[in-house]
Amino acid sequence: MTPLVTAAVLLAAVTHASWNAIAHRITDKLTGFALISGGGMLIGLALLPFTAFPAAGAWPYLLVSAAIHIAYYALLMRSFRLGDFGQAYPIARGSAPLLVTVLAAVFAHEVPDGWATGGILVSCAGLTGVALWGLRGRRPDWAAIGAALATGVTIAAYTVVDGLGVRASGSPLGYIAWLMAVQGTVLPAYFLYRHRAGAWALLRPHASLGLAGAALSVTAYALVLWAQTRAELAPIAALRESSVKLRSHPNSAASFRPPSRMCTRPVAWACG
């Protein structure tokens, strides 16, 4: 991985941490994710006239990825609602690179060398350690952990699908624009169906925050997609998950605490 690719993935980690923190600040999770997803759709549509149309071979990947992303958002919203999210979320992000390593070996024929494998294992162990440290001395919240592991599966799945898709597309920017435009329709449509006449009253107080989250989300994933055209998938996935460490640091602007009565440990970063 070149220094330029490494810098792009680290920047993606920062922006990814930031948009997740913004999403968590919006109390109603469906409202927050509808704004972020809808904002991503608007950004994607705005980019379409200025980007190359993805090659035909990329479209099966793009459509499958859009479906996986919807499942990811649904599971992430569920994780946000569960009390022990601060411990469960690092498990989701920490398990994903291991799954990416296996899936990339099978579908992309990418087997990392010894150093890369060691780095992936250290990263995953560190992320899992964040969760386990917060659980010390009390019973795990199995519902939160189950949601986290399911979320990790979707993260790994869309990472590999998009890695293959963007390589087949011939245009990373065109791929991200169409991906955002396609997947961004579902959550806003569901939100409007659920709330109908009261939708605008729910959206208006958080509109600027949600659109800022959308811009950060698109930027983060565009950087990752570009990096995936220039390096192997598993090391990128592991480096990207440093965003969890950024969010877990007590002095990080992107850090937060989950709304949990159980999160009473004095160590702030153990509470997410």
Side-chain angles (χ1 to χ4, degrees):
M1 194 183 301
T2 67
L4 180 60
V5 172
T6 301
V9 178
L10 289 174
L11 180 58
V14 173
T15 50
H16 179 84
S18 300
W19 86 255
N20 271 265
I22 286 173
H24 191 76
R25 288 180 60 187
I26 301 174
T27 305
D28 185 273
K29 300 311 170 194
L30 181 57
T31 299
F33 280 95
L35 281 168
I36 291 171
S37 184
M41 177 190 67
L42 294 177
I43 294 170
L45 291 172
L47 289 173
L48 292 183
F50 309 101
T51 62
F53 191 79
W59 278 94
Y61 296 106
L62 191 151
L63 295 175
V64 170
S65 172
I68 297 171
H69 271 88
I70 298 304
Y72 163 72
Y73 279 126
L75 288 166
L76 192 59
M77 282 190 288
R78 175 169 172 76
S79 295
F80 270 119
R81 288 194 297 266
L82 293 173
D84 245 354
F85 176 80
Q87 283 75 52
Y89 191 70
I91 295 175
R93 305 307 307 196
S95 62
L98 289 177
L99 294 171
V100 170
T101 302
V102 175
L103 294 174
V106 173
F107 295 104
H109 309 293
E110 294 180 357
V111 179
D113 61 22
W115 285 107
T117 300
I120 293 166
L121 292 175
V122 168
S123 176
C124 293
L127 294 173
T128 304
V130 169
L132 295 178
W133 180 263
L135 289 172
R136 70 196 190 283
R138 55 190 175 86
R139 292 167 55 186
D141 184 337
W142 293 112
I145 291 172
L149 290 173
T151 304
V153 171
T154 60
I155 293 168
Y158 74 61
T159 297
V160 175
V161 169
D162 281 333
L164 298 174
V166 73
R167 292 171 182 178
S169 71
S171 171
L173 190 57
Y175 187 92
I176 187 68
W178 278 100
L179 179 63
M180 294 297 108
V182 171
Q183 76 176 36
T185 61
V186 176
L187 282 181
Y190 178 67
F191 175 84
L192 292 173
Y193 170 76
R194 281 280 304 272
H195 296 288
R196 296 180 177 86
W200 176 240
L202 290 171
L203 292 173
R204 183 172 54 190
H206 310 291
S208 59
L209 196 62
L211 294 176
L216 290 167
S217 175
V218 174
T219 300
Y221 206 51
L223 288 167
V224 169
L225 288 177
W226 175 82
Q228 288 177 325
T229 64
R230 286 161 171 78
E232 293 184 348
L233 302 180
I236 290 174
L239 184 59
R240 181 192 180 204
E241 301 315 336
S242 59
S243 64
V244 178
K245 298 183 181 69
L246 292 170
R247 292 177 56 192
S248 299
H249 194 282
N251 297 321
S252 170
S255 65
F256 62 86
R257 297 190 181 197
S260 171
R261 66 181 184 274
M262 298 176 66
C263 189
T264 57
R265 295 283 181 182
V267 182
W269 62 262
C271 298

